[in-house]
Amino acid sequence: LVWFAWDQFGGPAEPAPAAASSSVSDKSVAVLPFVAMSSGPDDEFFADGMTEEILNSLAQLPELLVTARTSAFSFKGQDIPIQQIAETLGVQHVVEGSVRRSGDRLRVTAQLIRASDGFHLWSQTYDRDFADLIDIQENVAFAIANALETAMDPEALANMVSSGTNSVPAFEAYLQGLAYGVSTLQTGDKYLFLSARDAYERAIEIDPEFAKAYWQL
């Protein structure tokens, strides 16, 4: 009788994946590691740090589901279709971009892609002085949240766009610390972890009021 009930009402398991796919929230996003387009010794760490901070900013919004950094960074350097990445991570949208540094100039390109059809919901290139670094990071996070039509209450919005410092050198050191932290999780290299600590300490030395750097440290 038990077998008969299972056979009649349990049914085959094949439809389950489709049901899971359809349940993915439309307010879900993965931020892939930004590509460093310049060849400076620290440019890759800088790009990774900016990616991490944009991810952290978006995660401040309760309505938005943001893929964990360890999952998103596992696709670093891989040439995989956006739709496949989104399906693997269980999100409806993917953010990708690039960073190029040249002297005192910074060029950041970012785009928000809807995975179901590959359409770009938002894309922007920021070609500015390096002194505008903080504004660029905050603008990217805000534009992505706006494109996803999240309901941003004032407190959540303030938390999202606040970098925590007005000092670009302190923020750059902070981004480097974030990047070292991500690399530590990927490689298990304890020396990268110590480099992250040193970067946060530099950020605090430059701006003693930089609460985010204290928190990471």
Side-chain angles (χ1 to χ4, degrees):
L1 287 174
V2 172
W3 180 88
F4 177 81
W6 175 87
D7 185 61
Q8 293 298 314
F9 304 107
E14 287 78 357
S21 177
S22 63
S23 66
V24 176
S25 171
D26 189 52
K27 298 293 190 297
S28 56
V29 64
V31 183
L32 300 183
F34 280 32
V35 178
M37 303 297 290
S38 43
S39 56
D42 296 323
D43 287 349
E44 185 174 353
F45 283 110
F46 176 77
D48 286 351
M50 175 167 281
T51 305
E52 170 78 352
E53 181 63 4
I54 291 172
L55 187 156
N56 289 341
S57 296
L58 293 174
Q60 299 294 321
L61 299 174
E63 184 184 357
L64 191 60
L65 301 178
V66 183
T67 300
R69 62 183 177 182
T70 50
S71 300
F73 272 80
S74 67
F75 290 94
K76 182 178 179 178
Q78 299 190 45
D79 186 15
I80 300 176
I82 290 295
Q83 187 171 12
Q84 182 178 339
I85 293 175
E87 186 175 331
T88 301
L89 297 177
V91 296
Q92 295 282 9
H93 305 89
V94 171
V95 175
E96 62 178 7
S98 63
V99 178
R100 183 188 298 274
R101 299 177 66 179
S102 179
D104 293 332
R105 299 294 294 177
L106 178 64
R107 184 182 180 90
V108 177
T109 299
Q111 49 198 15
L112 174 66
I113 303 169
R114 186 168 58 202
S116 60
D117 52 21
F119 284 166
H120 288 63
L121 299 181
W122 169 82
S123 180
Q124 183 69 43
T125 297
Y126 301 87
D127 194 351
R128 301 183 185 175
D129 291 336
F130 192 79
D132 294 328
L133 167 62
I134 296 175
D135 287 339
I136 293 173
Q137 179 270 320
E138 292 176 350
N139 288 341
V140 170
F142 180 84
I144 292 170
N146 188 53
L148 291 175
E149 299 180 350
T150 55
M152 293 182 288
D153 64 84
E155 182 178 357
L157 177 60
N159 289 334
M160 186 192 74
V161 301
S162 175
S163 66
T165 181
N166 292 320
S167 169
V168 171
F171 190 63
E172 183 180 8
Y174 170 77
L175 291 183
Q176 191 174 49
L178 291 178
Y180 281 130
V182 171
S183 296
T184 299
L185 292 175
Q186 291 176 313
T187 65
D189 187 338
K190 63 182 179 182
Y191 295 105
L192 289 174
F193 184 78
L194 296 176
S195 295
R197 179 201 63 187
D198 294 343
Y200 294 132
E201 288 180 342
R202 286 199 307 275
I204 293 169
E205 183 178 354
I206 297 170
D207 181 2
E209 303 299 322
F210 196 175
K212 279 187 174 182
Y214 279 106
W215 170 256
Q216 293 292 346
L217 184 61

